[in-house]
């Protein structure tokens, strides 16, 4: 049984991870942390009724936690993970980080994007980008995995095989994405309150979202040249789910692109192509670790339109982290992860 700590366990991603781990046969949560709730139980703080309801929150003190665990899930904001990761790795504890601290190969790009200093640049070479279906072999050997952003997951999964095989033009890609409000995290903010979000639909952080450089860096790696993406996120009046609509100029008919994706993901359980002519929906993936992809050809205008849906809290965060854990510790990739959607 592998023992784990969840650092920052009261946010949506930490709680979602706890929920998923309850069904994992080889992973035991030994420690949960919260600065504000230390000394209180999960049942008391979150009205938890499951397996871990009696687990008590601790302070995030690495020297006290490290001897108890084999892996630490860092559910903390950008800029907070570097010190924690450094300390855990020093104690021979593997790390799966939910923040952006280790997602970039370019340290200068991270610092520019997040306006934060890179305190431990030596860790950057050790970090593996945790897009499971793409960096599988690297993840299996990693001690430090950077869980990808939710929007990038929905965009990179359909695009990486296509740019890798040079099937689309890389100088003109548009990604128009919509997310449920849980993507903003568990916080009190007027912008995300019920009356502000309900019965409304709005774009935000236009031309300035922090996931844009993350998307471009990874696509450029596989295209072997600089890729630019026009990325616009939108806020949906729903709890969870991401729907990305991606516009590309294809060099070949849509069937070639579809065959490429089928081949690339043929042995991967969590990436599915929707039947030809059908649009995958958020409801189909809600509560699952799936990414579903649809492709449509606009011959008159020379575009292929790609639709991609995920649950932002599972495949876009906690489920992908558990999938990374499975790869790192030798479990079957799908262990403990849900395939069946929640329809209501």
């Amino acid at each position: 049984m592998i023992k784990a700590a969840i650092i920052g366990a009261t946010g949506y991603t930490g709680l979602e991870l706890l929920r998923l781990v309850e069904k994992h046969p080889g992973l035991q949560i030994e420690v949960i942390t919260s600065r504000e709730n230390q000394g209180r139980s999960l049942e008391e703080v979150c009205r938890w009724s499951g397996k871990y309801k009696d687990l008590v929150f601790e302070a995030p003190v690495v020297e006290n936690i490290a001897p108890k665990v084999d892996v630490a899930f860092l559910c903390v904001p950008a800029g907070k993970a570097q010190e924690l990761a450094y300390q855990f790795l020093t104690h021979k504890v593997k790390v799966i980080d939910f923040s952006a601290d280790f997602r970039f190969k370019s340290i200068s790009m991270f610092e520019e994007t997040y306006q934060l200093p890179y305190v431990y640049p030596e860790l950057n070479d050790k970090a593996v980008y945790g897009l499971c279906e793409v960096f599988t072999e690297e993840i299996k050997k990693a001690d430090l995995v950077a869980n990808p952003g939710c929007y990038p997951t929905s965009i990179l999964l359909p695009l990486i095989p296509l740019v890798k095989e040079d099937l689309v033009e890389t100088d003109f890609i548009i990604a128009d994405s919509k997310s449920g409000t849980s993507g903003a995290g568990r916080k009190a903010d007027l912008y995300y309150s019920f009356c502000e979000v309900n019965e409304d639909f709005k774009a935000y952080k236009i031309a300035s979202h922090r996931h844009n450089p993350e998307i471009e860096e990874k696509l450029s790696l596989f295209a072997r040249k600089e890729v630019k993406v026009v990325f616009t996120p939108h806020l949906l009046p729903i709890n969870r789910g991401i729907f990305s609509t991606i516009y590309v100029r294809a060099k070949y008919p849509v069937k070639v692109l579809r065959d490429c994706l089928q081949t690339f993901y043929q042995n991967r359980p969590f990436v599915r192509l929707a039947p030809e002519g059908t649009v995958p929906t958020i409801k189909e993936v809600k509560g699952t670790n799936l990414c579903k992809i649809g492709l449509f050809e606009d011959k008159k205008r020379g575009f292929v339109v790609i639709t991609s849906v995920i649950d932002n809290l599972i495949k876009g965060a906690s489920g992908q982290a558990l999938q990374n854990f499975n790869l790192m510790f030798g479990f079957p990739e799908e262990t403990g992860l849900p395939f069946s959607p929640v329809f209501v």
Side-chain angles (χ1 to χ4, degrees):
M1 183 70 70
I2 307 299
K3 296 181 178 180
I6 301 178
I7 310 301
T10 56
Y12 289 137
T13 57
L15 291 171
E16 189 71 20
L17 182 60
L18 270 166
R19 185 181 73 84
L20 294 172
V21 170
E22 289 197 341
K23 296 182 179 180
H24 196 291
L27 178 56
Q28 172 78 24
I29 302 301
E30 198 73 17
V31 176
I32 55 174
T33 78
S34 169
R35 295 183 186 277
E36 295 80 13
N37 295 293
Q38 55 186 291
R40 303 171 69 196
S41 72
L42 188 60
E43 181 180 32
E44 181 185 358
V45 174
C46 301
R47 304 295 186 264
W48 200 266
S49 304
K51 174 181 175 182
Y52 294 111
K53 65 184 180 66
D54 296 324
L55 208 55
V56 173
F57 288 101
E58 301 182 18
V61 181
V62 173
E63 53 263 38
N64 295 338
I65 298 169
K68 307 175 190 177
V69 300
D70 307 294
V71 61
F73 295 91
L74 306 185
C75 303
V76 298
K80 303 293 185 183
Q82 292 181 53
E83 179 65 37
L84 289 165
Y86 179 82
Q87 292 184 50
F88 275 118
L89 291 167
T90 300
H91 286 85
K92 309 300 182 185
V93 174
K94 294 189 177 188
V95 171
I96 300 171
D97 177 34
F98 282 62
S99 83
D101 284 11
F102 303 105
R103 290 177 187 165
F104 289 85
K105 279 304 171 190
S106 169
I107 291 175
S108 61
M109 181 58 72
F110 168 81
E111 292 179 331
E112 178 185 338
T113 302
Y114 285 86
Q115 296 295 297
L116 293 167
Y118 214 92
V119 184
Y120 293 102
E122 65 271 26
L123 293 185
N124 201 49
D125 289 336
K126 297 180 180 180
V128 173
Y129 190 68
L131 193 63
C132 298
E133 287 78 11
V134 178
F135 296 97
T136 309
E137 296 308 313
E138 295 90 337
I139 293 166
K140 287 178 180 178
K141 297 178 282 188
D143 292 324
L144 171 59
V145 169
N147 221 44
C150 52
Y151 281 128
T153 296
S154 72
I155 294 165
L156 293 173
L157 284 173
L159 284 183
I160 282 177
L162 304 182
V163 301
K164 183 174 184 288
E165 298 301 324
D166 195 26
L167 302 183
V168 299
E169 302 288 351
T170 55
D171 58 347
F172 189 77
I173 297 173
I174 298 173
D176 182 80
S177 299
K178 308 92 183 166
S179 175
T181 57
S182 59
R186 196 178 187 197
K187 59 188 176 185
D189 189 314
L190 177 63
Y191 188 86
Y192 302 106
S193 67
F194 178 81
C195 287
E196 297 297 318
V197 172
N198 188 45
E199 296 190 30
D200 198 7
F201 177 65
K202 50 196 172 186
Y204 66 100
K205 295 185 180 176
I206 297 173
S208 62
H209 198 281
R210 291 171 169 180
H211 285 172
N212 208 150
E214 181 182 339
I215 294 164
E216 290 178 334
E217 185 188 72
K218 302 313 173 192
L219 289 178
S220 298
L221 172 67
F222 286 93
R224 297 172 293 278
K225 59 183 175 182
E226 187 177 24
V227 176
K228 291 296 183 185
V229 177
V230 178
F231 168 63
T232 304
H234 300 74
L235 189 63
L236 284 171
I238 61 175
N239 289 340
R240 59 165 77 200
I242 286 178
F243 193 114
S244 288
T245 307
I246 306 160
Y247 305 88
V248 296
R249 291 194 184 276
K251 298 180 179 181
Y252 300 90
V254 70
K255 184 183 184 305
V256 177
L257 277 63
R258 185 179 179 86
D259 289 347
C260 172
L261 292 175
Q262 287 277 28
T263 300
F264 195 91
Y265 294 119
Q266 62 182 340
N267 296 316
R268 308 314 292 263
F270 294 115
V271 180
R272 309 273 179 89
L273 265 66
E276 288 188 48
T278 64
V279 181
T281 67
I282 287 174
K283 185 171 280 192
E284 292 173 41
V285 298
K286 180 182 176 184
T288 80
N289 197 54
L290 295 171
C291 173
K292 288 195 173 183
I293 300 168
L295 293 93
F296 303 85
E297 191 167 22
D298 186 342
K299 293 181 180 179
K300 191 175 289 186
R301 296 162 190 86
F303 280 91
V304 167
V305 181
I306 303 169
T307 57
S308 172
V309 291
I310 64 169
D311 184 318
N312 60 293
L313 290 180
I314 303 185
K315 186 58 173 170
S318 305
Q320 185 147 238
L322 189 54
Q323 191 179 353
N324 274 309
F325 165 84
N326 287 336
L327 292 173
M328 293 168 76
F329 286 89
F331 291 95
E333 190 174 354
E334 63 272 22
T335 306
L337 289 165
F339 288 90
S340 299
V342 178
F343 275 99
V344 292

